Amino acid sequence: MIRVGIVGASGLSGGELIRLVAQHPEAELTFLGGASSIGRRPSALHPGLRLDLGLTVQAVDPEVVAERCDVVFLATPAPASAELAARLADRVTCVIDLSGAFRIRDAVRHTRWYPSAGRAAELADRFVYGVPELIGDALSGAALISMPGCYATAITLGLAPLTLGLGLHLRTVLVDGKSGSSGGGLHLRVPDLHPFRNGAIAPYAPVGHRHAAEVADFLEGAKPGSLGSLTMSAYGVSHVRGLLASTYVFLDEDLDARELQRAYLRFYREHRFVRVRRHTETLIPVPDPQAVLGSNFCDVTVLKDEDGGRLVVLAALDNLVKGAAGQAVQAMNLRFGLPEESGLTMQPVMPA
């Protein structure tokens, strides 16, 4: 059994990690860490988890964590993750960080988007970053893993068949992202109060988003394809879970719509958590976040806009599962040589 610790146990991603690890056939939850919730049980922090795990949240002592855990998930804000990773690296077999502290390799770009998450360059260089479907081999034996953000996961999975698969140059990429309120965590902000958020489409990042910087940082080094410019606008919508990344790609090449569909099917045929869909194959147009809620799936569709001279790539996922905790468990499975789907076989809940 893999002994698992979760730091940041009181947050939304922390609660989702507890839920997934508790039902994992090859994992045992042995440590819960936090700061503001010390002494509290998971059931007190997360009403849906009526579990007696025999654990309460404790302060993070690296010696205690190293003694109890084979892997530690950091479901903490980026500044906290940067500090904790420095204290836990080389003490614990594997540290998996869900924050943005180590996602962006370029130091200048990192400082722009995460100015409060100072980090040592040597430590940052040791982290493996990426969506498991795209860097699975690099996860085997990795000691430090940085998980992509929720939007970054959807965007990268949507674009990878074009760059990594077909080797195309993406001249211009425009991303329109819409996410539920859980993407903002549990911090109390006036714009997130129900009278303002319910029924709204709020452009909270209309001219740039740090997850787009992540994608650019990753794809700029991805071969054989290349990336020109990538920009993003992000909107908050009134549902709680799920996101949709609508990505508009402008190419110099002219590709046949059937060729594109075949390329996506071919690229993901060995990856069970990415479902390549036809836009009109179900009762509702897909991808749609409600068709993946509660699951580790990402639904992807590619369409050719003949009149607009662009490709439209749609990717939908549950931001707390495939966009956070589920993908982190997927990375743990690959790191420790387990079947990738261990503990992640749940189907979507719909309607939700």
Side-chain angles (χ1 to χ4, degrees):
M1 297 288 281
I2 302 170
R3 299 173 303 160
V4 177
I6 298 170
V7 181
S10 64
L12 294 177
S13 294
E16 201 73 348
L17 280 166
I18 295 170
R19 179 178 76 88
L20 296 176
V21 172
Q23 63 188 13
H24 195 292
E26 300 294 337
E28 177 187 5
L29 191 57
T30 56
F31 179 83
L32 295 176
S36 61
S37 56
I38 290 173
R40 303 187 71 183
R41 296 182 179 277
S43 57
L45 298 168
H46 305 286
L49 297 176
R50 195 166 179 120
L51 300 170
D52 183 9
L53 301 172
L55 296 172
T56 59
V57 178
Q58 298 179 234
V60 180
D61 181 331
E63 296 295 338
V64 172
V65 174
E67 181 180 334
R68 293 188 188 177
C69 304
D70 301 308
V71 58
V72 176
F73 294 101
L74 301 181
T76 45
S81 283
E83 178 184 348
L84 288 165
R87 296 169 63 196
L88 294 171
D90 302 319
R91 293 176 181 265
V92 181
T93 302
C94 182
V95 176
I96 301 177
D97 180 32
L98 279 70
S99 83
F102 300 97
R103 290 172 181 165
I104 300 175
R105 187 170 295 275
D106 180 79
V108 174
R109 188 177 275 162
H110 168 80
T111 301
R112 176 189 173 190
W113 292 102
Y114 295 95
S116 61
R119 63 189 193 182
E122 180 274 334
L123 184 63
D125 288 342
R126 292 172 58 191
F127 269 85
V128 173
Y129 167 85
V131 182
E133 283 81 3
L134 308 182
I135 52 98
D137 291 343
L139 293 174
S140 178
L144 299 171
I145 301 170
S146 176
M147 302 310 303
C150 51
Y151 273 131
T153 298
I155 298 164
T156 307
L157 286 171
L159 295 178
L162 303 176
T163 56
L164 304 181
L166 295 175
L168 299 175
H169 172 64
L170 310 186
R171 173 168 45 87
T172 304
V173 178
L174 309 175
V175 181
D176 178 308
K178 294 182 173 63
S179 176
S181 59
S182 60
L186 291 177
H187 298 290
L188 181 61
R189 292 175 290 260
V190 171
D192 290 333
L193 295 176
H194 187 267
F196 298 105
R197 187 63 182 253
N198 187 51
I201 301 176
Y204 68 89
V207 293
H209 194 286
R210 57 192 182 184
H211 288 189
E214 250 183 80
V215 175
D217 194 71
F218 176 73
L219 288 182
E220 283 171 359
K223 304 297 180 184
S226 60
L227 179 68
S229 66
L230 188 152
T231 57
M232 177 177 176
S233 298
Y235 303 82
V237 295
S238 60
H239 61 260
V240 176
R241 282 179 180 252
L243 67 80
L244 175 67
S246 304
T247 302
Y248 312 122
V249 182
F250 295 86
L251 303 168
D252 294 324
E253 294 88 347
D254 183 25
L255 299 175
D256 177 76
R258 291 183 180 179
E259 177 187 355
L260 283 167
Q261 182 74 6
R262 287 194 295 267
Y264 273 68
L265 289 168
R266 183 169 60 247
F267 191 87
Y268 288 121
R269 64 187 171 193
E270 302 297 330
H271 299 287
R272 64 174 294 169
F273 290 124
V274 180
R275 304 189 299 188
V276 179
R277 313 296 297 263
R278 296 189 309 277
H279 182 54
T280 57
E281 72 180 59
T282 73
L283 294 173
I284 61 170
V286 292
D288 186 312
Q290 68 173 318
V292 294
L293 294 186
S295 78
N296 200 50
F297 293 118
C298 177
D299 282 359
V300 176
T301 288
V302 59
L303 303 163
K304 184 177 181 181
D305 179 1
E306 297 284 0
D307 295 329
R310 61 177 182 163
L311 305 183
V312 178
V313 181
L314 306 176
L317 53 77
D318 184 325
N319 56 294
L320 293 179
V321 188
K322 183 58 173 169
Q327 181 162 244
V329 171
Q330 185 183 352
M332 178 192 76
N333 289 339
L334 292 169
R335 163 59 180 83
F336 288 93
L338 299 176
E340 190 171 11
E341 66 274 13
S342 294
L344 296 171
T345 57
M346 57 280 185
Q347 294 296 303
V349 176
M350 185 182 177

